[in-house]
Structure formats: C-alpha cells, structure tokens
Amino acid sequence: MTVASHSRLRTGMLATAGAAVLLALLFWPAIVGNEVLSPSDMLLVHEPWRVLAEEGFAPGNPTLSDQVTQFQPWFSLARERWTSGEGVLWNERAAAGQPFAANLQSALYSPVAWLHRLCSFETALLLAALLKVVVAACFTALFARALGASVLGSLVAATAFSFSGFHWMWLGWPQASVSMF
C-alpha cells in the first residue's frame, strides 16, 4: 500500500468515525430510548387515527408525509412478503394491483432496504438513516482526497455534505440512498 492510498484510507476512516460520533449525539434518543425515527405523528391528522389525536394537534413536520404513507408501508409489505416467501413482484393492495418490485420509489433492491429484511422495522429505519449519513461522509472524504484536498479539507467536505440540508431533508426518502454514493 502506498503512502497516498494509506492516507486516503485513513481519511475515509476518520470521516466515518466522525460522522458516527455526530450521529450518535443527534440520534441518541432513538439509539438508546424508545424513540422511532419516523414522522408517524403525521397519521394523526388522517382517518381513522384522527380520533386518537388531542384537539388542535398538528404534526411535527407535515412535509414528511411520503415516509409514512408510501415508503414505510412498502418496507413493511416487503418484509411481510420476504419472510412469508411470497416474493415482491406484485402489490395487490394498491389500486387494482400494480407492480411492486418494478416500482422505483419502493427501492426494494437497494442495500439500504435489505436492512428491513434483517432487523425489526424500528431498528431498520434507524440503521438506514445512520448508514446513509456515514457512507456519504466516507465517500465524500475519499472523493475530496482524490481531488487533492488536504485531510482537514476532506473531513470538512465530508461533514458539509453528509450533514447538508439536502442530505438531511431527504434522509427518509430513496434519494439519500443514491446520494450517499
């Protein structure tokens, strides 16, 4: 291993470790507590869950509705199908039936989606978010080093991108699974 490749590897490992520490601080309630990384309070403004909400209830962030109305139900359905051995080709629960595996937004073959096969639903949501940020930090640092940035410069780039508004806002969507690379 050359000195340059060893330095790039060290930079990638530093970026990964730094992102992991920051994420542990940010997601501490979900990591050690009973918090779930889901905007599921959004459901309390819709029937039949509206009767469970307190009067005057407003969801924490109403712009995150796709996560609880599309992506998370798809992950649940995919897990149900994978564990029962039925397969994920067709979703008869949507409209009069439609392709499930071919639906690009469900991202069933994404490595991040595989977490839902291996872990509980709540754990998979948390691990998916952590993985997206850590991988983005690592690859951004490596990319910056390949472009000639210093170690410090590449770590700043890794932090700036992996914790950027774009990446953070889209963390629960499939876009962040792509942008992490």
Side-chain angles (χ1 to χ4, degrees):
M1 183 179 283
T2 66
V3 172
S5 62
H6 180 68
S7 176
R8 278 190 288 249
L9 180 63
R10 186 181 74 230
T11 302
M13 290 182 349
L14 281 171
T16 302
V21 168
L22 285 173
L23 286 169
L25 294 172
L26 290 169
F27 290 136
W28 191 252
I31 293 171
V32 299
N34 60 353
E35 299 289 321
V36 177
L37 199 60
S38 172
S40 55
D41 66 336
M42 170 62 66
L43 295 174
L44 294 174
V45 297
H46 300 290
E47 296 298 339
W49 303 282
R50 185 179 307 210
V51 297
L52 301 173
E54 296 177 10
E55 189 173 330
F57 171 79
N61 189 342
T63 62
L64 302 177
S65 63
D66 288 351
Q67 292 181 39
V68 294
T69 59
Q70 290 186 32
F71 308 128
Q72 293 173 7
W74 284 332
F75 286 137
S76 287
L77 178 61
R79 180 183 173 87
E80 177 185 311
R81 295 285 177 82
W82 281 323
T83 56
S84 70
E86 290 180 55
V88 292
L89 294 178
W90 190 255
N91 179 3
E92 74 283 347
R93 296 178 188 175
Q98 62 184 13
F100 188 30
N103 174 349
L104 296 178
Q105 287 198 13
S106 63
L108 297 179
Y109 299 113
S110 163
V112 175
W114 298 343
L115 292 169
H116 290 275
R117 292 179 78 171
L118 305 172
C119 307
S120 70
F121 183 76
E122 297 82 5
T123 303
L125 289 175
L126 175 62
L127 290 178
L130 296 174
L131 181 68
K132 290 174 186 180
V133 176
V134 167
V135 170
C138 179
F139 282 123
T140 302
L142 292 173
F143 180 64
R145 286 294 282 159
L147 292 177
S150 67
V151 172
L152 179 60
S154 64
L155 293 176
V156 168
T159 304
F161 175 67
S162 61
F163 290 91
S164 70
F166 168 81
H167 201 69
W168 207 251
M169 173 59 196
W170 293 108
L171 206 52
W173 278 267
Q175 289 91 322
S177 297
V178 176
S179 68
M180 71 181 182
F181 294 111

